[in-house]
Amino acid sequence: MKAEKTMQPDPRLHYLTPLRQTPFHARTAAANRLNSWGPWGGYTTVLEYEDLAMEHSAIRNAATVYDLCPMVKYRITGPGAADYLNRLTVRNAARLPVGAVHYTIWCDDAGKILDDGTLFRLGQDDYRLCCQERHLPWLLDSAIGFDVRVVEETEDVAALSLQGPCSYAVLKAAGFEVAELKPFRMVDFVLDGGGLTVSRTGFTGDLGYELWTTPDRALVLWDLLFEAGAPWGIRPIGTQALDLARTEAGFIITNLDFIPAHQAVREDRVRSPFELALDWMIDWDKGHFNGRRALLAERAEGSPWAFVGLDIEGNVSAEHAIIYHDKKHEVGQITAACWSPTVKRNIALAHVRRPYHSAKSANLWVEVYAMRELQYVKLMLKARVCDRPFFNPPRRRATPPGLF
């Protein structure tokens, strides 16, 4: 019997099948006992596999795997790559060593943030930029005049996040020795006759790694990790558990903690690096970059907003709650919150009007509506500005890592 030729989907008709499946979908679907799915970057991803509390507990006590494939990835190559990235982003890409990674942001001409992400220097003139949103038109427009090539490679890379105190032990058992790999550095290995890059990066605020390979080796990588990680109770985690962990780590997410400047409908919703406590990464001496003039003016004149961590009384999570001063005057808004199982505190990330982030922070209250037997009860809970991250264990940066 003659085999039928497999028809490939027409990319021009992508709107007929709007949600793609990642290269790991065969494994994530089999493990998703709750059939809990959500969209991310045009892909269908798992929100919760089986039990949120157990998934979060595994992040802090064992080893976990999270499917990173929907993360948007851009390859930036050419003799002008470093100069281009120095103009685009606020950090100095030319000072980033080959084999290293740094966290960065980029702004519009008004100094308002478009997105944040991680920049990998794969070679002298070879970078990969990973972020939450798609920015190809902006990146291409910004490349005019530079000897550089910018392409999106999201579909060409299969990525997994391996996080938790036992993540190093799992990698070692799988045959990948990364004892000397420092935070924000990467190393290459051979996987099934192809390439695998392991970077010591992550979004949980704990010991962890991110693994990068090609889609055709995705399932090989997944099976290898789960076979090697069985003694450490390795388990897959969904987005909800990751969101708990990133809140404990004080990390921000685009379109949850801030609105990208080019997407905002209301002009007062956009934020600058100063207003998101990200001004520490600005390299003022590298030369001109997008938004520099506006940011210099803001540095001199001050900013109306501050981004802070909050410690809230009680154990009722305060997602999206309004913040008041003296229970009367609205002074801010919470963007992310949870009762942290790790630090046993009711924590939150919030935008607060200055000077209520410091000088006038002694009398802050959060308005929360808690469900009590089918009826909401209004609670005014005392809040205190505190340091971020809420959770920052020494094992996160220990080199070599502990064999837990």
Side-chain angles (χ1 to χ4, degrees), residues 16 36 43 120 145 173 179 200 208 213 226 245 248 250 323 339 356 383 396:
L16 296 178
S36 177
Y43 287 83
F120 296 71
R200 191 166 170 182
T213 188
F226 275 82
E248 293 175 332
I323 305 167
W339 165 258
Y356 296 99
R396 177 185 176 188

Side-chain angles (χ1 to χ4, degrees), residues 36-40 44-49 52 55 59 65-67 70 132 203 236-247 253 256:
S36 177
W37 300 94
W40 175 20
T44 180
T45 58
V46 179
L47 300 178
E48 182 182 353
Y49 281 92
L52 176 59
E55 290 173 34
I59 296 174
V65 164
Y66 180 73
D67 186 351
Q132 176 76 12
F203 202 57
I237 62 165
T239 300
Q240 293 178 359
L242 180 64
D243 192 47
L244 276 177
R246 73 93 184 178
T247 302
I253 297 182
L256 289 181

Side-chain angles (χ1 to χ4, degrees), residues 168 288 294 384:
Y168 165 65
H288 187 68
R384 177 181 63 86

Side-chain angles (χ1 to χ4, degrees), residues 76-85 125 142-150:
I76 300 165
T77 57
D83 291 338
Y84 162 74
L85 287 164
D125 300 320
S142 300
I144 295 174
F146 292 95
D147 187 4
V148 65
R149 182 171 182 261
V150 181

Side-chain angles (χ1 to χ4, degrees), residues 96-400:
L96 182 66
V98 174
V101 189
H102 70 204
Y103 173 56
T104 191
I105 55 174
W106 52 102
C107 303
D108 63 9
D109 289 340
K112 302 303 181 182
I113 297 176
L114 290 166
D115 208 347
D116 67 338
T118 46
L119 183 66
F120 296 71
R121 192 165 193 175
L122 307 176
Q124 185 63 31
D125 300 320
D126 188 1
Y127 295 82
R128 173 181 292 147
L129 181 63
C130 300
C131 55
Q132 176 76 12
E133 304 294 317
R134 283 186 161 78
H135 299 277
L136 190 57
W138 178 270
L139 297 181
L140 292 175
D141 288 346
S142 300
I144 295 174
F146 292 95
D147 187 4
V148 65
R149 182 171 182 261
V150 181
V151 296
E152 182 178 341
E153 60 172 7
T154 304
E155 297 181 20
D156 301 325
V157 179
L160 283 179
S161 180
L162 175 65
Q163 302 286 306
C166 300
S167 54
Y168 165 65
V170 172
L171 278 179
K172 184 179 178 67
F176 306 118
E177 181 53 76
V178 291
E180 301 306 316
L181 186 64
K182 296 180 180 180
F184 293 98
R185 293 295 187 268
M186 53 186 162
V187 63
D188 293 328
F189 294 97
V190 174
L191 172 68
D192 192 37
L196 171 72
T197 298
V198 177
S199 60
R200 191 166 170 182
T201 49
F203 202 57
T204 64
D206 214 317
L207 174 64
Y209 304 86
E210 291 173 337
L211 288 66
W212 313 81
T213 188
T214 52
D216 57 314
R217 293 176 176 84
L219 299 185
V220 172
L221 175 61
W222 180 286
D223 294 341
L224 178 61
L225 290 177
F226 275 82
E227 180 180 355
W232 291 273
I234 190 171
R235 67 186 302 154
I237 62 165
T239 300
Q240 293 178 359
L242 180 64
D243 192 47
L244 276 177
R246 73 93 184 178
T247 302
E248 293 175 332
F251 294 152
I252 62 174
I253 297 182
T254 313
N255 271 317
L256 289 181
D257 298 294
F258 72 96
I259 302 296
H262 66 300
Q263 295 181 14
V265 176
R266 299 167 178 84
E267 292 184 0
D268 64 339
R269 298 300 193 266
V270 295
R271 295 289 183 265
S272 74
F274 292 100
E275 294 171 314
L276 277 179
L278 296 175
D279 52 295
W280 58 269
M281 68 172 69
I282 301 176
D283 189 325
W284 299 102
D285 300 323
K286 67 172 181 172
H288 187 68
F289 56 88
N290 290 352
R292 186 176 188 272
R293 293 188 185 93
L295 291 172
L296 281 171
E298 185 176 349
R299 184 175 67 171
E301 299 169 3
S303 309
W305 290 95
F307 192 73
V308 301
L310 291 179
D311 203 335
I312 303 169
E313 68 175 345
N315 60 2
V316 179
S317 185
E319 290 98 334
H320 308 298
I322 296 175
I323 305 167
Y324 293 90
H325 181 256
D326 197 24
K327 299 185 181 180
K328 298 176 183 178
H329 309 291
E330 183 178 331
V331 297
Q333 179 81 28
I334 288 175
T335 61
C338 69
W339 165 258
S340 167
T342 306
V343 299
K344 302 299 186 289
R345 292 158 56 193
N346 199 16
I347 59 175
L349 305 175
H351 295 279
V352 179
R353 290 192 179 275
R354 299 173 187 266
Y356 296 99
H357 72 300
S358 57
K360 291 188 177 182
S361 64
N363 195 13
L364 297 181
W365 298 81
V366 174
E367 181 182 35
V368 178
Y369 290 84
M371 179 66 76
R372 294 289 186 266
E373 296 183 347
L374 303 182
Q375 183 174 332
Y376 279 107
V377 176
K378 178 180 175 180
L379 305 174
M380 292 297 285
L381 304 177
K382 183 71 173 172
R384 177 181 63 86
V385 175
C386 61
D387 293 334
R388 293 183 295 146
F390 306 100
F391 178 67
N392 188 21
R395 67 190 181 215
R396 177 185 176 188
R397 292 184 172 85
T399 305

